[in-house]
Amino acid sequence: MKITLIGLGVGSDGVSIKALDVLRASTCIICKTALTQSANIFEKYSINVTYLDDMFSKSRNFDTLNHKLAAYV
């Protein structure tokens, strides 16, 4: 299994062409949150993604959140 981390940038057009190619070729995409403008990239290009927003609401702080995110992945 290969895991690739991609920064979505700061806005709806912040993803590089290379990152977009990787996203399109991926079989499983996990995104920390859909609540940022950057996450619109998935809908814009009809890319299937799993969002982990529910973990935000159930975490007391970022340390807890990061542990939950790592365990999920």
Side-chain angles (χ1 to χ4, degrees), residues 9-57:
V10 228
S12 58
D13 293 323
V15 175
S16 70
I17 293 171
K18 184 174 180 179
L20 185 56
D21 289 343
V22 171
L23 289 169
R24 286 178 167 157
S26 298
T27 56
C28 177
I29 299 172
I30 302 168
C31 186
K32 193 188 306 188
T33 181
L35 302 176
T36 64
Q37 193 177 27
S38 302
N40 293 337
I41 193 78
F42 301 113
E43 184 177 341
K44 182 177 181 178
Y45 292 100
S46 300
I47 298 171
N48 291 328
V49 61
T50 299
Y51 293 104
L52 302 180
D53 289 301
D54 195 40
M55 290 186 191
F56 276 101
S57 61

Side-chain angles (χ1 to χ4, degrees), residues 55-70:
M55 290 186 191
F56 276 101
S57 61
K58 294 179 180 176
S59 298
R60 289 179 280 159
N61 56 49
F62 283 112
D63 286 335
T64 303
L65 174 61
N66 289 334
H67 286 304
K68 288 181 180 181
L69 294 173

